[in-house]
Amino acid sequence: MSDINIKEVNGVDVVQYQPKGVCSKMMQILIKDNVIEDVEFVGGCAGNLTGIRMLVKGWQVEEVISKLQGIPCGSRPTSCPDQLTKGLMAYIEQKSSVKA
């Protein structure tokens, strides 16, 4: 199974990303016109992930990447915010390869 799956529903890209190295097992990101409409996390720290969800709504995809990329979690080299950026980068890469 691929780490990322993208489908379009009523003009919104529904991105499902399977993160690695974190407690969260799945992330679903809704993107319209390069803006995050919503993020849903399966598993992980509910309070922290709800906070991330509320903060990134309305942000441009690139803005989320620039602000959250590279954040570790304790001794782990990655975190849920960092994995969110990896999912967004995979989304950008896949979308640009479809257009090419």
Side-chain angles (χ1 to χ4, degrees), residues 10-90:
N10 298 324
V12 176
D13 288 333
V14 179
V15 181
Q16 292 181 327
Y17 178 69
Q18 187 173 3
K20 293 181 178 73
V22 295
C23 299
S24 179
K25 301 301 178 205
M26 182 63 65
M27 298 177 180
Q28 181 168 282
I29 312 155
L30 304 181
I31 302 171
K32 183 173 183 178
D33 299 327
N34 203 43
V35 174
I36 307 290
E37 290 206 332
D38 201 2
V39 181
E40 210 176 307
F41 299 91
V42 176
C45 305
N48 290 333
L49 296 176
T50 299
I52 292 167
R53 176 183 183 215
M54 300 307 289
L55 288 171
V56 301
K57 281 184 184 182
W59 286 8
Q60 296 280 326
V61 169
E62 292 80 6
E63 184 179 17
V64 174
I65 293 169
S66 72
K67 291 187 180 200
L68 302 181
Q69 186 175 24
I71 295 174
C73 183
S75 62
R76 294 179 187 180
T78 190
S79 63
C80 288
D82 182 54
Q83 286 296 302
L84 176 60
T85 69
K86 292 187 184 319
L88 292 172
M89 290 186 293

